[in-house]
């Protein structure tokens, strides 16, 4: 081990991948080492640094890259498979000179998915990503490659969404909900970061131990931009890296048997709009999909604002798709258990797979990749003179761009270079959108490292 004197303690080491990928072709190795525009080295480096930096609470990916400018990762071909050479890696990823095993597993998962997505999805004609069928098949194959599809298991997977920057009270509440879910034989799937994504896993982990339930699942689904900003929390025992936010969101709704939403900010609002836009499709209206909004009693104002915004933009009937429960983890878990039992019954009746929701219809506007450039954000159609599912899709894109400007390195750099994103909407919708975003700021849900939030967007009439 070579300790390097920098502003933060670092370690250099050569490690073996853990359990998921040991053999690469020379062409794949060359691609991972290449720093050219078509190379994968920069992507691997950014994601690897975030995983190794998991002990640091910062969610500013640009600041992390600046703090570890000398960090590098190199894939080496050796006689017994590949090795990973780490130079000036964060020291907190090691204990007594040895890398923490969970971190080594996450590094291997990232390497596996980067290689597979590039070779089999992006550079292969077998998946037509311009079509809904091709995109859904691509998501399926990425998940299958990662080993997350479990055909022998009954429905039990609860997707938990919520903010990474939440109060201690909200974090403890999310842990209590996870505990109650775990007592009732349910597993957890999240975006794998901190806050409301970590709490349910911690709670379920304790409950599974008490119930002597072996093989508890703590599944994290992320994408490179999010991984670089929010490293997987250490409880995650299955990690999948999707190529973009749209495929990540599709993976959640195809894999999950029910969804719980905890308090959050624009990222959480984006996820809510994505799911509700899908459930509004006429082909999905009879399909059971339990969706619960929950938080401690003191978080009721957050869900009131969300509810008001949803009803205004998507109509009163939207309330039939979700239940709001505050301050009662037991009630949340019981309702979710009942909902998942309904899902199991529906899937049996329609001879649909438990492990992947093929029947769910996802319109193309929820699958097409959205690059949040300044021009793309400015041209979003934010008005009610369009079908509700299309408005939901455009609102989701607006929130996705704000997330990118907040925490993703390319978005942060774009805001620094060209100023805040501009969003335009019809007057009343603009007023409602402004009230919702302002409430997030007032409640401290849009900030980094505890600092006051500087908006990465402006609202224009």
């Amino acid at each position: 081990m070579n300790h390097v004197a920098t502003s933060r303690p670092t370690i250099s080491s050569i490690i073996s991948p853990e359990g998921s990928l040991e053999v690469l072709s020379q062409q794949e190795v060359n691609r991972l080492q290449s720093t050219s525009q078509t190379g994968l080295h920069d992507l691997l480096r950014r994601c690897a640094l975030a995983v190794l930096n998991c002990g640091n609470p910062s969610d500013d990916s640009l600041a992390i890259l600046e703090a570890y400018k000398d960090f590098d990762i190199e894939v080496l071909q050796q006689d017994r498979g590949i090795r990973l050479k780490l130079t000036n890696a964060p020291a907190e990823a090691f204990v007594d000179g040895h890398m923490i095993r969970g971190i080594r597993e996450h590094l291997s998962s990232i390497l596996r998915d980067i290689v597979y997505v590039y070779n089999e999805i992006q550079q292969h004609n077998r998946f037509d990503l311009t079509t809904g069928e091709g995109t859904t098949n691509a998501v399926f194959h990425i998940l299958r490659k990662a080993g997350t599809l479990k055909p022998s298991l009954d429905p039990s997977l609860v997707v938990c969404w919520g903010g990474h920057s939440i109060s201690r009270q909200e974090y403890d509440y999310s842990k209590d909900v996870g505990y109650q879910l775990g007592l009732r034989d349910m597993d957890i799937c999240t975006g794998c970061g901190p806050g409301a994504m970590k709490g349910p896993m911690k709670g379920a982990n304790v409950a599974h131990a008490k119930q002597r339930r072996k093989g508890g699942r703590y599944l994290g689904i992320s994408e490179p931009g999010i991984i670089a900003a929010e490293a997987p929390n250490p409880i995650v025992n299955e990690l999948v890296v999707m190529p973009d936010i749209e495929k990540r969101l599709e993976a959640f709704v195809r894999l999950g048997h029910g969804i719980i939403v905890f308090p959050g900010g624009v990222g959480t609002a984006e996820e809510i709009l994505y799911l509700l836009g899908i459930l509004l499709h006429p082909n999905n209206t009879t399909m059971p999909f339990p969706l619960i909004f929950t938080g401690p009693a003191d978080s009721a104002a957050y869900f009131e604002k969300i509810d008001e915004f949803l009803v205004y933009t998507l109509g009163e009937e939207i309330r039939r798709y979700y239940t709001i429960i505050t301050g009662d983890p037991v009630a949340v878990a019981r309702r979710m258990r009942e909902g998942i039992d309904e899902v199991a019954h529906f899937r049996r009746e329609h001879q649909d797979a438990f492990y992947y929701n093929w029947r769910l219809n996802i319109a193309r506007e929820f699958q097409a990749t959205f690059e949040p450039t300044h021009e793309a954000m400015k041209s979003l159609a934010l008005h009610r003179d369009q079908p509700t599912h299309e408005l939901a899709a455009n609102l989701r894109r607006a929130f996705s761009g704000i997330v990118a400007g907040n925490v993703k390195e390319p978005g942060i750099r774009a805001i620094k270079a060209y100023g805040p994103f501009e969003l335009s909407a019809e007057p009343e919708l603009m007023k409602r959108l402004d009230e919702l975003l302002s409430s997030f700021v007032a409640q401290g849900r849009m900030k980094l490292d505890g600092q006051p939030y500087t908006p990465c967007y402006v609202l224009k009439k």
Side-chain angles (χ1 to χ4, degrees):
M1 299 296 169
N2 175 33
H3 295 260
V4 181
T6 65
S7 58
R8 295 184 183 180
T10 63
I11 287 179
S12 296
S13 180
I14 296 177
I15 66 167
S16 300
E18 177 70 30
S20 62
L21 186 67
E22 294 180 350
V23 179
L24 292 177
S25 71
Q26 188 60 54
Q27 185 181 46
E28 289 169 332
V29 171
N30 291 342
R31 184 76 64 183
L32 288 164
Q33 292 175 341
S34 173
T35 58
S36 69
Q37 189 173 0
T38 58
L40 298 174
H41 178 265
D42 184 59
L43 177 64
L44 176 62
R45 177 180 178 272
R46 286 187 285 113
C47 291
L49 178 57
V51 169
L52 293 163
N53 199 56
C54 65
N56 189 327
S58 173
D59 51 9
D60 186 337
S61 57
L62 189 57
I64 292 171
L65 286 170
E66 290 296 320
Y68 293 96
K69 289 181 179 180
D70 295 334
F71 167 73
D72 201 9
I73 180 170
E74 184 180 357
V75 180
L76 305 177
Q77 284 276 31
Q78 295 192 356
D79 54 354
R80 295 181 182 273
I82 66 167
R83 299 291 185 269
L84 300 178
K85 180 181 179 182
L86 305 174
T87 304
N88 299 332
E92 58 262 34
F94 298 80
V95 175
D96 297 334
H98 299 281
M99 182 175 287
I100 296 170
R101 183 169 181 176
I103 293 176
R104 190 150 59 105
E105 288 179 354
H106 290 165
L107 268 181
S108 301
S109 296
I110 288 170
L111 180 61
R112 174 202 65 211
D113 293 339
I114 286 176
V115 170
Y116 183 77
V117 166
Y118 182 83
N119 285 340
E120 302 298 329
I121 307 297
Q122 296 172 337
Q123 301 295 315
H124 205 292
N125 294 329
R126 64 187 293 203
F127 300 107
D128 184 356
L129 299 181
T130 65
T131 68
E133 181 181 3
T135 300
T136 296
N137 275 324
V139 171
F140 172 85
H141 279 81
I142 295 169
L143 294 171
R144 186 172 69 175
K145 176 67 175 179
T148 60
L149 304 179
K150 311 285 186 182
S152 62
L153 301 181
D154 286 341
S156 66
L157 196 60
V158 181
V159 174
C160 293
W161 287 338
H164 62 275
S165 180
I166 57 175
S167 69
R168 183 70 202 190
Q169 182 185 20
E170 290 172 344
Y171 173 76
D172 289 341
Y173 180 86
S174 74
K175 193 161 57 173
D176 290 341
V177 170
Y179 177 76
Q180 295 297 331
L181 294 172
L183 290 177
R184 292 163 176 80
D185 287 331
M186 287 177 273
D187 296 298
I188 308 296
C189 174
T190 76
C192 77
M197 292 165 279
K198 182 178 180 181
M201 286 190 174
K202 289 195 74 172
N205 186 263
V206 173
H208 289 162
K210 285 188 175 182
Q211 290 283 32
R212 302 299 188 265
R213 185 174 187 270
K214 297 181 179 179
R217 302 187 69 191
Y218 315 105
L219 171 60
I221 303 177
S222 196
E223 47 100 4
I226 295 294
I227 283 281
E230 300 172 359
N233 74 66
I235 303 169
V236 171
N237 62 5
E238 299 177 56
L239 173 64
V240 186
V241 182
M242 306 302 293
D244 53 53
I245 188 67
E246 287 78 16
K247 293 178 184 62
R248 172 177 175 251
L249 289 172
E250 180 162 352
F252 279 127
V253 299
R254 297 284 184 193
L255 279 177
H257 303 112
I259 293 182
I260 293 175
V261 180
F262 295 98
V266 286
T268 305
E270 174 191 2
E271 292 163 339
I272 290 172
L273 286 161
Y274 175 86
L275 178 58
L276 291 177
I278 290 171
L279 296 180
L280 282 168
H281 193 285
N283 291 355
N284 297 328
T285 54
T286 62
M287 185 181 301
F289 204 116
L291 172 60
I292 300 173
F293 299 166
T294 191
D298 289 348
S299 301
Y302 171 79
F303 291 112
E304 288 173 4
K305 282 294 185 183
I306 290 284
D307 181 63
E308 289 174 7
F309 184 76
L310 292 174
V311 170
Y312 174 78
T313 54
L314 305 179
E316 186 76 30
E317 69 276 8
I318 197 64
R319 284 181 170 145
R320 69 182 284 260
Y321 294 101
Y322 57 85
T323 302
I324 299 177
I325 303 173
T326 55
D328 196 340
V330 173
V332 172
R334 285 175 175 167
R335 175 68 192 93
M336 183 53 66
R337 182 72 268 175
E338 292 168 358
I340 287 182
D341 290 344
E342 291 173 13
V343 169
H345 178 71
F346 181 88
R347 301 268 183 104
R348 287 192 181 97
E349 275 197 333
H350 292 84
Q351 297 182 329
D352 199 11
F354 283 167
Y355 55 87
Y356 195 77
N357 192 349
W358 289 105
R359 185 175 291 270
L360 191 69
N361 188 296
I362 300 181
R364 185 60 193 155
E365 55 262 32
F366 290 97
Q367 290 183 319
T369 300
F370 176 68
E371 296 291 342
T373 63
H374 280 71
E375 185 61 32
M377 291 286 281
K378 188 175 182 179
S379 62
L380 287 174
L382 303 179
H383 57 78
R384 294 195 299 166
D385 187 21
Q386 59 184 314
T388 53
H389 70 277
E390 291 183 11
L391 175 56
N394 283 322
L395 286 168
R396 183 206 73 80
R397 291 174 181 137
F399 290 143
S400 180
I402 295 173
V403 172
N406 280 351
V407 301
K408 296 184 182 180
E409 183 207 344
I412 294 171
R413 291 189 187 277
I415 296 298
K416 285 188 174 182
Y418 306 112
F421 294 129
E422 291 185 7
L423 293 172
S424 300
E426 62 184 39
E428 183 60 25
L429 194 151
M430 180 68 72
K431 178 174 176 282
R432 303 287 183 127
L433 181 59
D434 187 43
E435 288 176 354
L436 180 65
L437 294 173
S438 296
S439 73
F440 292 163
V441 175
Q443 294 170 22
R445 302 189 185 280
M446 293 169 67
K447 61 185 179 182
L448 298 175
D449 294 336
Q451 299 300 315
Y453 177 68
T454 300
C456 65
Y457 62 91
V458 291
L459 302 177
K460 298 256 185 179
K461 294 183 180 179

